Amino acid sequence: MNTLPSHDWQKRSQSTGLNKPMAWIGVMLLAMLVAVGLARWSGLDPRTPDAAVQWQRDLQFRDLPGGDIAVLDHRTGQQVARFTGEQGFLRSSLRALARERHRESLSGDAPFLLIGRTDGRLTLQDPSTGQRIDLESFGPSNAAVFAGLRLAGSDHAPLKSAR
């Protein structure tokens, strides 16, 4: 009979590079890939659904000759705020949405929607392209730039202009 002693078998299986922990890791990775594939194929969306809209404001943003940004209420046409200086987050957010409009050859005249949700999240959405920016993802100080526009220009406005 031509059998290997048990210690020879162990040496031979170790020389192939496979051992029990590595095999289990491979099985787990394969199982996760199958699970993710099935979830995507079934249409399951892992993102948290949006909370209900608590308030919404339709705003237009205009570049002014001196480099300032005017914020207009789309319904009334009145300027409700004016931003001066660098305003990096505001400018980059608006630039990202405007870039998509330009890519799709759409007019820049349509308003952006500033949406406050019941769970406190804040979204800047472009209904023309379907693009959106979840502002709370960039931290409270950046979201506050847009949050101040909720009541800007009204009698109860905490923000008349920003610097």
Side-chain angles (χ1 to χ4, degrees), residues 22-101:
M22 291 297 288
W24 278 110
I25 290 172
V27 168
M28 294 302 292
L29 286 173
L30 182 61
M32 286 191 308
L33 285 173
V34 168
V36 168
L38 287 173
R40 286 189 167 222
W41 180 70
S42 69
L44 180 68
D45 188 357
R47 294 178 292 178
T48 305
D50 288 331
V53 173
Q54 185 175 28
W55 57 269
Q56 174 179 314
R57 191 157 190 198
D58 299 4
L59 299 170
Q60 292 178 303
F61 297 86
R62 299 280 184 245
D63 289 323
L64 299 175
D68 293 353
I69 298 173
V71 184
L72 309 174
D73 183 294
H74 178 69
R75 290 189 170 97
T76 66
Q78 297 296 314
Q79 180 174 320
V80 296
R82 183 179 184 137
F83 290 91
T84 60
E86 192 172 318
Q87 299 296 328
F89 180 68
L90 177 88
R91 287 184 192 276
S92 62
S93 299
L94 296 174
R95 194 174 299 126
L97 294 174
R99 186 180 318 116
E100 192 62 28
R101 283 184 178 181

Side-chain angles (χ1 to χ4, degrees), residues 3-29:
T3 61
L4 294 172
S6 65
H7 66 281
D8 286 343
W9 178 82
Q10 290 172 343
K11 286 181 186 176
R12 185 168 274 186
S13 68
Q14 289 175 352
S15 69
T16 62
L18 290 176
N19 56 29
K20 284 186 180 184
M22 291 297 288
W24 278 110
I25 290 172
V27 168
M28 294 302 292
L29 286 173

Side-chain angles (χ1 to χ4, degrees), residues 89 92-94 96-97 122-125 131-136 138:
F89 180 68
S92 62
S93 299
L94 296 174
L97 294 174
L122 194 60
T123 304
L124 184 63
Q125 184 173 358
Q131 296 294 312
R132 62 186 270 167
I133 299 174
D134 294 317
L135 299 167
E136 75 283 348
F138 297 95

